[in-house]
Amino acid sequence: MKVILVVVTIGLFGFLLGKFIKHKSLYPFMPFRYDFRKRRDTFRKTLEFLDKTKARLIIETGTSREGLHGAKSNGAATIVFGKWAKQNNAFLHSVDISEKSVANSQKEVTNQDLGKIVQIHLSDSVEFLRNFTEPVDFLYLDSYDYSDDREVQIKSQHHHLQEFMAIEDKLHDNSIVLIDDCDLPNGGKGKLVVAYMLQKDWKVVMNEYQILLVRKSFSV
Ligand SMILES: C[S@@+](CC[C@H](N)C(=O)[O-])C[C@H]1O[C@@H](n2cnc3c(N)ncnc32)[C@H](O)[C@@H]1O
């Protein structure tokens, strides 16, 4: 009986330790319970760059359709960068083509009291970016969903390239670009856009599940 109790206790301890090690929070910036897993380190570096460059205008393509509860699955970037914007006198535009995604994201933005800082637009992202007229300090590309289907993968990669090309001339020397869902079969969302950027004057700072890029001349 005693042996069984010891084995169960060790097993439970190991399970909890494993969970704790895998859990990647953005604490103290975000509450500890939210697990940002594969995006945690790139988010952290991006937040550091946003601080250093004193970013004022952020654009996100593809909004947080699962609110903050989607931290592990989708990233919850609308809330993470919206919160940063609120604390730093900045503004976030988030654009999404789906009414449902916009409604869900808007609900969370309101819950988090970010309504004056985050504006969610219902539009195709490329069209939105083409019509945008202000300088952009941080561009986060995370719209057209990637999947296992090769045709969808190609469409998603082209869409993210089109997004970048639509807003490219609004990016300045210290702009930051982050692309989601990259470390996936056949190159993920960033395959074409990263190749395009590297031919221009951009460099990769972090290459993980997300890819973080700045200009070669970036200085902070
Ligand atoms: C992965 S989710 C975005 C997750 C969000 N960035 C986050 O961090 O929680 C992708 C979103 O892109 C949107 N989307 C797909 N195609 C789009 C397009 N052409 N223009 C704008 N949004 C699009 C989808 O409706 C979906 O809500």
Side-chain angles (χ1 to χ4, degrees), residues 60 62-65 74 76-77 96-98 101 124-125 142-143 159:
E60 172 193 43
T63 202
S64 287
R65 59 185 164 195
N74 281 318
D96 202 293
I97 202 166
S98 151
S101 295
D124 169 67
S125 53
D142 184 21
S143 61
H159 185 80

